[in-house]
Amino acid sequence: MNSENEFSILFNLNGDEIHYLGDPTRRLLNVLREDYHLTGVKEGCGEGECGACAILVDGHLYNSCLMMPYQINHKSVLTIEGFRDSKRFEIISRAFEAAGAVQCGFCTPGMVMATEALLRKNPHPLRDEIASFMSGNLCRCTGYDMIIKAVMIASEAGDGLW
Amino acid sequence: MVKAFYYPRSLNDALEQLSENEILLIAGGTDLVVKTIHWTGHMDFNKTLMPLSHLPALRGISTDDTSVTIFAATSLNTILGHPSVPDPIKQAIRSIGSESIRNLGTLGGNICNASPAGDSLPALLGYDAMLTLQSVQGKRMVKLADFIHAPGKTRIRPDELLLSVTIPKLSYDRYRFSKIGQRKGCAISKLSVFGIGRIENGLISDIRLSYGALGPVPIRITDAERFMNRKSASEVLDNWDIIENSLETQLKPIDDLRSDAAYRLEVALNLTKEFIASFTHC
Ligand SMILES: Cc1cc2nc3c(=O)[nH]c(=O)nc-3n(C[C@H](O)[C@H](O)[C@H](O)COP(=O)(O)OP(=O)(O)OC[C@H]3O[C@@H](n4cnc5c(N)ncnc54)[C@H](O)[C@@H]3O)c2cc1C
Ligand code: FES
Ligand code: FES
């Protein structure tokens, strides 16, 4: 368990039980993209500022660019790929469409995961609560108003789902 | 290349490792990883990396009649969710990073990182926070005010770790934490001002004023506090040159990429004045 390059980790990834055996100090972002081909997890800044790499760990929002595999031992990891087949994703994605909250789309997986994390915590957030919760997710295209609107639409359309 | 990695099974295991080897402690890693990582995503640690965040003995919050103890590897968001943590402390912690940073980042990391702009520090100084450090030899208590002595430098020994932070349950009538950053959310402080105090018979009492990013270490200005105590807010405001003098000699702001010294000092003075003015209507 404590040798230099091999570390054994059990975790749930998008519903599958995974046994990772490898370097415990690789960046989780790279592990997810390279080993498990989850390329919806994006690298923007690589230093915790932009949220493009956002994932949920046990239902809470995390930046995978700042994490290492040992931190998800015995935890549940959800990426956009695992979230895509849910009813809640459908509501959020419709809301993003309706609000025009997607332009180039690079920030979108992170924005969607942040929306899910927010609505789990607070199913009916106010505008300011949305802005503050999403402050770790940057978008270079939309100007944020559409994204905030998308979260409000999702919150209303998905009433009772969160 | 990572030299080695050691995943401690318990607090004692971690302490033994610390006493025997050169160790680099990591809690949430939100400071350490950003400092260490190359643009390629590779990290080079120059010592054995030892994580702490999974150890139950380093997590959680305990409370008694007079104080609250926060264990070092408790995440910032866990602290925000705890009913016994005083609101003035929560307000400072809420200003740190974003939701995801607060899920990963810990209070112990914010303290041990010892940044002049560490946003929990002014509030913890105002509360006279006591730190408990632990090694195989036992525990010792250090005042936060004595712990950080230069940017990024603390009085922790290489064989010690920070176990917990204890703050008294203060009673107060006014408090304020003002953080000035480039934007409202997720920004490093250009400067910050924390104030807390009571009002007794219309007079200021037990006021505490502390400042972040206004010098090499976060600092409390005790002579200004002493001058204000047992005076009315208007009396303090009438003698503002004394306060200005005290702050101007003790705050040592610098010019850097985030702001410049003159701006920092001026805003700190204005924010202090605003806080004192909030004692007028009582
Ligand atoms: C995008 C982003 C935004 C941020 N915004 C802010 C902000 O607004 N305000 C702010 O103050 N900070 C901010 N930070 C910095 C950081 O998130 C905080 O300082 C956080 O509290 C650090 O905690 P950590 O557990 O992640 O520390 P780590 O990176 O794990 O550790 C930091 C240092 O402390 C040492 N250490 C950690 N725990 C212990 C212990 N128990 N005993 C001894 N040594 C220990 C480590 O060895 C390391 O030197 C930001 C960081 C990022 C990436
Ligand atoms: S890539 Fe992780 S926060 Fe930007
Ligand atoms: S849509 Fe392009 S970055 Fe957000």
Side-chain angles (χ1 to χ4, degrees):
Chain A
M1 184 109 168
N2 280 319
S3 82
E4 198 155 319
N5 297 314
E6 293 276 280
F7 190 81
S8 164
I9 289 158
L10 292 173
F11 70 107
N12 187 293
L13 180 57
N14 293 333
D16 296 328
E17 292 304 324
I18 300 279
H19 181 203
Y20 170 90
L21 190 67
D23 182 351
T25 63
R26 271 173 77 203
R27 204 164 53 150
L28 184 59
L29 169 71
N30 297 71
V31 173
L32 294 172
R33 288 179 59 88
E34 293 160 12
D35 297 14
Y36 304 106
H37 310 295
L38 298 169
T39 52
V41 187
K42 302 291 177 202
E43 177 173 7
C45 65
E47 47 187 52
E49 304 262 0
C50 78
C53 64
I55 57 172
L56 301 195
V57 179
D58 289 348
H60 299 284
L61 192 67
Y62 284 85
N63 294 329
S64 61
C65 71
L66 295 179
M67 298 177 73
M68 294 179 245
Y70 71 82
Q71 287 168 304
I72 54 165
N73 203 7
H74 301 301
K75 303 205 161 152
S76 268
V77 173
L78 186 68
T79 71
I80 191 80
E81 289 86 351
F83 183 47
R84 199 160 44 191
D85 296 326
S86 66
K87 180 82 190 146
R88 298 205 291 229
F89 174 82
E90 205 182 305
I91 302 278
I92 295 174
S93 100
R94 291 248 169 88
F96 271 64
E97 280 167 11
V102 181
Q103 288 183 27
C104 80
F106 190 82
C107 70
T108 311
M111 289 289 180
V112 169
M113 298 316 282
T115 305
E116 165 69 6
L118 168 58
L119 295 178
R120 279 189 193 203
K121 231 175 156 167
N122 180 358
H124 297 288
L126 303 173
R127 196 185 188 287
D128 277 2
E129 292 171 331
I130 299 172
S132 133
F133 192 94
M134 313 275 283
S135 69
N137 290 76
L138 301 185
C139 175
R140 300 284 286 170
C141 304
T142 64
Y144 303 103
D145 261 2
M146 291 91 140
I147 292 172
I148 291 173
K149 200 163 158 224
V151 178
M152 294 177 109
I153 295 173
S155 149
E156 214 174 285
D159 191 22
L161 272 181
W162 278 280
Chain B
M1 247 324 267
V2 182
K3 265 198 191 151
F5 175 77
Y6 189 85
Y7 195 73
R9 278 161 286 129
S10 64
L11 177 57
N12 280 338
D13 187 16
L15 295 174
E16 271 165 34
Q17 279 300 315
L18 274 174
S19 73
E20 289 161 11
N21 295 307
E22 273 210 64
I23 296 283
L24 180 59
L25 295 172
I26 184 165
T30 58
D31 277 310
L32 201 61
V33 169
V34 173
K35 273 186 205 160
T36 313
I37 203 155
H38 299 293
W39 65 270
T40 50
H42 286 289
M43 289 177 261
D44 290 312
F45 297 103
N46 52 3
K47 296 177 192 163
T48 302
L49 189 70
M50 185 161 78
L52 297 175
S53 283
H54 62 288
L55 297 174
L58 281 175
R59 299 168 62 138
I61 294 163
S62 70
T63 158
D64 60 27
D65 290 348
T66 57
S67 68
V68 179
T69 295
I70 303 172
F71 286 84
T74 310
S75 80
L76 299 170
N77 264 345
T78 304
I79 297 170
L80 291 181
H82 198 282
S84 302
V85 177
D87 286 340
I89 301 284
K90 283 186 179 168
Q91 196 192 340
I93 290 178
R94 203 173 289 118
S95 81
I96 298 179
S98 59
E99 172 74 9
S100 50
I101 296 297
R102 291 190 299 271
N103 279 333
L104 205 51
T106 66
L107 188 61
N110 199 242
I111 294 169
C112 294
N113 193 52
S115 160
D119 284 318
S120 73
L121 302 172
L124 292 175
L125 279 179
Y127 266 82
D128 283 328
M130 288 295 290
L131 309 181
T132 302
L133 305 172
Q134 192 169 1
S135 71
V136 281
Q137 286 157 39
K139 293 178 186 169
R140 66 179 175 119
M141 308 270 282
V142 183
K143 280 189 194 154
L144 173 62
D146 299 330
F147 184 64
I148 300 176
H149 61 89
K153 298 269 183 292
T154 70
R155 303 211 183 275
I156 200 164
R157 295 195 315 249
D159 65 332
E160 286 178 320
L161 53 73
L162 173 63
L163 177 72
S164 61
V165 187
T166 301
I167 51 171
K169 288 183 176 162
L170 286 180
S171 64
Y172 55 83
D173 299 301
R174 295 284 185 278
Y175 77 87
R176 179 175 300 192
F177 177 65
S178 312
K179 164 172 167 173
I180 308 296
Q182 192 63 32
R183 64 185 183 120
K184 236 190 196 164
C186 203
I188 306 291
S189 286
K190 292 173 195 273
L191 68 110
S192 67
V193 177
F194 177 81
I196 188 165
R198 285 188 285 128
I199 298 165
E200 265 172 26
N201 306 319
L203 303 180
I204 295 172
S205 154
D206 194 16
I207 193 168
R208 292 139 191 243
L209 297 169
S210 33
Y211 297 83
L214 282 153
V217 298
I219 182 177
R220 232 178 107 172
I221 309 288
T222 46
D223 64 348
E225 296 173 2
R226 272 196 302 275
F227 177 81
M228 292 175 179
N229 282 332
R230 287 178 304 281
K231 290 192 180 62
S232 69
S234 52
E235 198 181 343
V236 173
L237 293 171
D238 286 344
N239 291 286
W240 195 247
D241 52 324
I242 294 176
I243 303 300
E244 212 167 273
N245 224 324
S246 155
L247 294 186
E248 275 173 12
T249 44
Q250 290 174 79
L251 299 178
K252 305 257 183 287
I254 56 165
D255 294 328
D256 66 9
L257 78 171
R258 278 192 282 277
S259 186
D260 63 66
Y263 172 86
R264 286 183 153 119
L265 190 61
E266 187 176 336
V267 176
L269 279 162
N270 289 343
L271 290 171
T272 308
K273 204 175 207 174
E274 257 180 51
F275 178 60
I276 301 309
S278 76
F279 285 78
T280 31
H281 313 289
C282 49

